[in-house]
């Protein structure tokens, strides 16, 4: 008896198996058409009658795509995420859900990937979410999405995202520029950070690196700043926002959101309190600005700030040349301003500094701004480990006058200094004193040395 299967039967069983596998694969990896069909089914549920339901269900399936020349991208995410602009889909599950809180960033103008990452052109889930090897921008985890706000809103405060402001502040005050360049300014011991957010380090890697650099980057020469978890998170946000990408003028138009906090800053800078009071605090007999936004319309106030004498002929109030966002910010501040704000502004008035003190303070600011604090510490205490240098660490600058004269220190700052090596057989010490003469003016260098001298023990003899 022939035990062999008939060839036709064999071929049929192989085909059947292949089909079963294909169906199983597809139901575990539904394509965009499946998502659109399901979305239409959900939409149809809400329709009042059979005809309307049928009309919805017969909508042809098409790839949705948003062209964004100003952002140099094309996003097809709405092919599956069809409900982002439909509030009735609020309680649907992903990918059908309504996207709350998006305005004024409408999908038609912003797409999705500028905030979320992912691969705009892909129409399969894995590809679109960037879970694929060749794509360097996977979706940002939920807790880091807001870092992207800083790609466009680069100055001032972004409402609801205090991390960006704090991260920027830490960057500018902790001396990161001593070792890192950002937009052309800074040292070269660590990598340039101008596009740190575009190369997409995993956000959790960044955060861990700030908590303890050597834990993710063995033998890192970057100091452990003992940041708190919140500070590490804030710095990670700031890093992720640094992409340096070219955008159309519209997208860059709101670098600075006209927030009340910015309005307060302008109110201080322009010294409005010199002629005004808020609830009795401020200029004696000054025009009271408390409640001014309920006395006047927004457009009236805007015109008052554009040209006071058109609105109030004969007024003493100067013309300030404020742009529209600045006026909006000022009015935003006035809407909430209280007597306490006025007190704080008056208390914060800079005390008069003598020219000498002012020069020392300017040197102090330069010491921070150029990143000296990154290696020598905010209190000049030194102590950052520097393996295989003779002292094993970056020196303190508190006793310079014991070893050097001022001209010698000026020379060190201009020319830099390699630390003496402890053991010539081991790798050279990673940290050295950079040469600053090409990075800052002679005036800045002088001011910094004046500042350093002001911190020396008083016995110092003059030179
Ligand atoms: C092929 C359909 C499809 C496409 C295209 C697609 N998504 Fe999704 N997305 C889903 C599904 C399904 C979910 C629900 C969670 C899951 O199954 O992983 C989801 C969930 C998400 C989530 C929630 C977080 C998460 O990972 O669960 C975000 C954010 C997201 N998508 C963003 C995007 C962006 C941005 C794009 C475009 C670059 C995009 N999606 C394109 C199907 C898609
Ligand atoms: C202006 C920035 C911005 C744009 C543009 C944007 N989103 Fe979002 N999206 C966010 C933020 C911020 C959140 C997180 C909200 C939260 O924390 O609850 C979010 C949340 C989501 C979620 C839920 C994530 C989760 O894990 O629960 C999905 C899905 C999503 N967005 C998809 C999209 C899609 C699709 C688009 C394009 C149509 C888009 N987003 C455009 C900022 C944006
Ligand atoms: C691609 C650049 C871009 C990104 C990313 C972006 N924005 Fe915006 N944002 C804009 C622009 C442009 C406007 C002005 C929109 C308009 O008025 O047409 C704006 C307006 C705003 C406003 C309103 C300001 C006003 O005039 O009152 C707020 C608030 C805001 N953005 C917050 C955010 C937050 C929060 C995020 C992150 C979730 C974010 N933005 C991400 C570009 C961006
Ligand atoms: C004393 C020099 C020094 C100072 C100061 C310093 N760094 Fe670093 N940093 C380094 C070195 C060296 C590396 C490369 C080794 C590593 O990954 O840790 C590095 C790496 C990094 C990286 C990872 C870059 C990448 O993707 O590979 C980031 C981000 C970073 N630093 C940010 C900062 C910030 C923010 C500050 C200020 C709070 C700072 N650094 C201060 C030396 C420094
Ligand atoms: C040199 C004095 C002076 C300065 C400085 C000044 N103002 Fe005024 N401002 C006035 C006077 C006077 C009026 C009353 C209008 C009039 O002359 O009738 C006025 C009126 C106003 C009003 C309308 C108040 C009302 O209830 O009608 C607003 C709003 C206002 N100023 C805001 C500002 C802001 C904001 C600044 C700072 C950017 C500022 N002013 C700086 C003198 C000044
Ligand atoms: C990348 C880390 C780094 C940065 C940034 C840095 N220094 Fe230094 N600096 C060092 C090291 C290391 C030495 C020790 C050299 C040696 O051992 O001879 C040093 C030495 C000095 C000395 C001589 C101290 C002594 O006791 O020999 C002065 C003064 C000094 N730095 C000032 C500055 C000033 C001012 C700045 C900012 C403009 C600055 N440093 C930025 C690493 C740094």
């Amino acid at each position: 008896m022939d035990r062999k299967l008939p060839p036709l039967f064999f071929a049929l069983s192989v085909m059947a198996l292949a089909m079963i596998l294909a169906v199983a694969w597809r139901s575990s990896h539904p394509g965009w058409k499946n998502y659109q069909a399901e979305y239409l089914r959900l939409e149809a549920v809400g329709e009042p009658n059979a005809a309307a339901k049928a009309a919805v269900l017969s909508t042809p399936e098409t790839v949705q795509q948003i062209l964004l020349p100003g952002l140099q991208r094309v996003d097809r995410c709405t092919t599956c995420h069809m409900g982002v602009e439909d509030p009735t889909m609020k309680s649907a599950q992903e990918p059908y859900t309504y996207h709350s809180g998006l305005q004024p960033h409408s999908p038609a103008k912003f797409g999705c990937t500028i905030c979320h990452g992912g691969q705009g052109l892909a129409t399969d889930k894995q590809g679109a979410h960037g879970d694929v090897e060749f794509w360097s921008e996977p979706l940002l985890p939920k807790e880091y999405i807001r870092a992207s706000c800083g790609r466009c809103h680069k100055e001032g405060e972004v409402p609801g995202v205090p991390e960006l402001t704090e991260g920027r502040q830490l960057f500018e005050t902790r001396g990161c520029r001593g070792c890192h360049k950002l937009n052309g300014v800074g040292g070269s011991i660590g990598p340039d950070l101008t596009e740190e957010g575009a190369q997409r380090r995993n956000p959790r890697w960044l955060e861990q690196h700030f908590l303890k650099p050597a834990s993710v980057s063995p033998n890192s020469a970057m100091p452990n700043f003992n940041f708190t978890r919140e500070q590490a998170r804030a710095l990670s946000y700031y890093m992720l926002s640094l992409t340096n990408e070219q955008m159309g003028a519209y997208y860059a138009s709101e670098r600075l959101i006209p927030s009340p906090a910015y309005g307060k800053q302008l109110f201080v800078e322009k010294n409005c309190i010199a002629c005004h009071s808020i609830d009795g605090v401020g200029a004696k007999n000054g025009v009271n600005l408390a409640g001014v936004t309920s006395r006047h319309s927004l457009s009236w106030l805007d015109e008052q700030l554009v040209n006071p004498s058109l609105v109030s002929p004969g007024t003493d109030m100067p013309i300030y040349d404020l742009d529209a966002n600045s006026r909006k910010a000022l009015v935003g501040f006035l809407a909430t301003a209280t007597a306490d704000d006025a007190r704080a502004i008056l208390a914060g008035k800079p005390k008069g500094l003598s020219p000498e003190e002012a020069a020392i303070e300017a040197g102090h600011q330069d010491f921070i701004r150029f990143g000296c604090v990154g290696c020598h510490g905010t209190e000049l205490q030194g102590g950052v480990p520097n393996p295989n240098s003779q002292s094993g660490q970056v020196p303190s600058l508190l006793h310079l006058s014991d070893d050097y004269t001022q001209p010698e220190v000026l020379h060190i700052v201009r020319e830099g200094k390699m630390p003496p090596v402890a053991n010539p057989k081991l790798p050279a010490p990673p940290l050295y004193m950079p040469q600053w003469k090409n990075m800052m003016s002679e005036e800045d260098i002088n001011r910094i040395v004046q500042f350093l001298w002001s911190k020396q023990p008083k016995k110092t003899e003059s030179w």
Side-chain angles (χ1 to χ4, degrees):
M1 217 171 41
D2 194 351
R3 281 264 163 209
K4 264 206 224 147
L5 286 174
L8 181 64
F9 183 76
F10 179 77
L12 282 173
S13 14
V14 168
M15 273 165 67
L17 183 67
M19 275 163 72
I20 291 169
L21 285 176
V23 168
W25 188 85
R26 204 171 322 138
S27 58
S28 62
H29 294 80
W32 60 269
K33 288 188 179 175
N34 304 55
Y35 290 114
Q36 289 201 351
E38 176 61 11
Y39 180 78
L40 294 176
R41 200 188 59 73
L42 291 171
E43 283 272 274
V45 171
E47 293 301 332
N49 57 51
K53 279 189 211 301
V56 168
L57 289 173
S58 64
T59 312
E61 291 158 349
T62 46
V63 170
Q64 307 286 318
Q65 106 179 339
I66 306 172
L67 299 175
L68 301 158
L71 295 173
Q72 300 182 35
R73 53 188 83 208
V74 175
D75 283 1
R76 292 177 168 170
C77 314
T78 46
T79 298
C80 296
H81 291 270
M82 292 185 80
V84 283
E85 292 189 271
D86 182 352
T88 66
M89 300 301 272
K90 212 179 275 178
S91 45
Q93 68 181 74
E94 293 302 357
Y96 314 113
T97 319
Y98 169 63
H99 200 310
S100 59
L102 209 44
Q103 286 309 327
H105 313 93
S106 67
K109 281 192 195 150
F110 288 81
C112 318
T113 54
I114 188 71
C115 290
H116 284 280
Q119 187 181 185
L121 274 172
T123 51
D124 66 298
K125 194 180 84 175
Q126 254 187 320
H129 291 183
D131 302 332
V132 280
E133 226 174 287
F134 59 87
W135 194 252
S136 64
E137 272 196 48
L139 286 185
L140 281 169
K142 186 171 179 167
E143 67 268 33
Y144 296 98
I145 301 172
R146 287 183 176 78
S148 305
C149 312
R151 291 175 161 198
C152 300
H153 303 299
K154 290 176 183 294
E155 293 164 39
E157 289 180 28
V158 184
V161 200
E163 292 89 348
L164 283 169
T165 321
E166 192 190 353
R168 195 184 318 124
Q169 161 91 8
L170 285 168
F171 185 87
E172 297 300 351
T173 55
R174 295 304 179 88
C176 314
R177 282 191 208 271
C179 297
H180 294 283
K181 274 201 174 38
L182 176 60
N183 300 326
V185 183
S188 313
I189 287 171
D192 190 323
L193 297 177
T194 309
E195 297 185 356
E196 181 63 14
Q199 72 186 46
R200 278 306 164 102
R201 281 283 187 189
N202 179 320
R204 296 188 179 108
W205 185 96
L206 283 172
E207 208 168 306
Q208 191 51 41
H209 186 263
F210 286 123
L211 289 171
K212 198 172 174 202
S215 68
V216 287
S217 202
N219 301 323
S220 174
M222 177 153 148
N224 184 341
F225 289 85
N226 296 314
F227 289 126
T228 64
R229 221 158 246 294
E230 288 70 29
Q231 289 172 321
R233 168 71 52 99
L235 277 165
S236 304
Y237 264 53
Y238 184 52
M239 293 297 115
L240 290 169
S241 76
L242 301 173
T243 57
N244 199 30
E245 61 202 299
Q246 296 304 307
M247 292 186 193
Y250 167 69
Y251 299 98
S253 65
E254 296 254 334
R255 278 180 77 93
L256 198 152
I257 293 175
S259 64
Y262 177 56
K264 182 172 180 179
Q265 191 186 320
L266 283 171
F267 194 86
V268 173
E269 277 169 20
K270 305 289 177 193
N271 204 14
C272 313
I273 202 87
C275 298
H276 288 285
S277 66
I278 302 172
D279 257 345
V281 181
K284 278 207 173 59
N285 310 320
V287 179
N288 182 12
L289 292 180
V292 72
T293 50
S294 49
R295 291 199 294 278
H296 297 290
S297 70
L298 294 181
S299 58
W300 187 97
L301 287 167
D302 194 60
E303 280 170 38
Q304 166 79 16
L305 291 173
V306 173
N307 192 343
S309 55
L310 282 184
V311 182
S312 317
T315 186
D316 294 336
M317 178 157 151
I319 295 179
Y320 283 101
D321 194 21
L322 296 159
D323 63 27
N325 272 1
S326 302
R327 301 194 301 269
K328 203 164 152 188
L330 269 168
V331 172
F333 167 64
L334 292 178
T336 59
T338 62
D340 280 343
D341 289 318
R343 265 180 222 110
I345 290 169
L346 292 171
K349 277 244 179 296
K351 302 161 224 73
L353 294 177
S354 71
E356 206 173 293
E357 287 166 335
I360 288 172
E361 180 51 27
H364 184 195
Q365 293 309 319
D366 280 349
F367 190 78
I368 296 170
R369 185 157 60 97
F370 288 103
C372 316
V373 294
C375 289
H376 293 288
T378 47
E379 306 303 322
L380 281 56
Q381 75 275 25
V384 170
N386 198 15
N388 201 28
S389 66
Q390 264 174 23
S391 54
Q393 47 180 298
V394 178
S396 148
L397 301 180
L398 289 168
H399 297 280
L400 279 177
S401 59
D402 293 351
D403 301 330
Y404 303 105
T405 62
Q406 282 199 20
E408 283 168 344
V409 172
L410 280 166
H411 183 80
I412 293 175
V413 179
R414 277 190 210 111
E415 304 297 332
K417 197 161 175 259
M418 288 292 169
V421 175
N423 178 351
K425 293 196 188 109
L426 294 176
L431 302 182
Y432 53 86
M433 170 68 182
Q435 200 178 57
W436 295 92
K437 66 180 173 197
N438 299 324
M439 276 187 263
M440 55 173 94
S441 67
E442 189 61 19
E443 192 191 353
D444 284 325
I445 293 176
N446 272 305
R447 292 200 301 203
I448 286 184
V449 173
Q450 287 310 311
F451 161 68
L452 291 176
W453 233 251
S454 75
K455 294 290 179 190
Q456 303 305 307
K458 286 302 165 227
K459 62 180 169 76
T460 320
E461 78 276 31
S462 58
W463 49 301

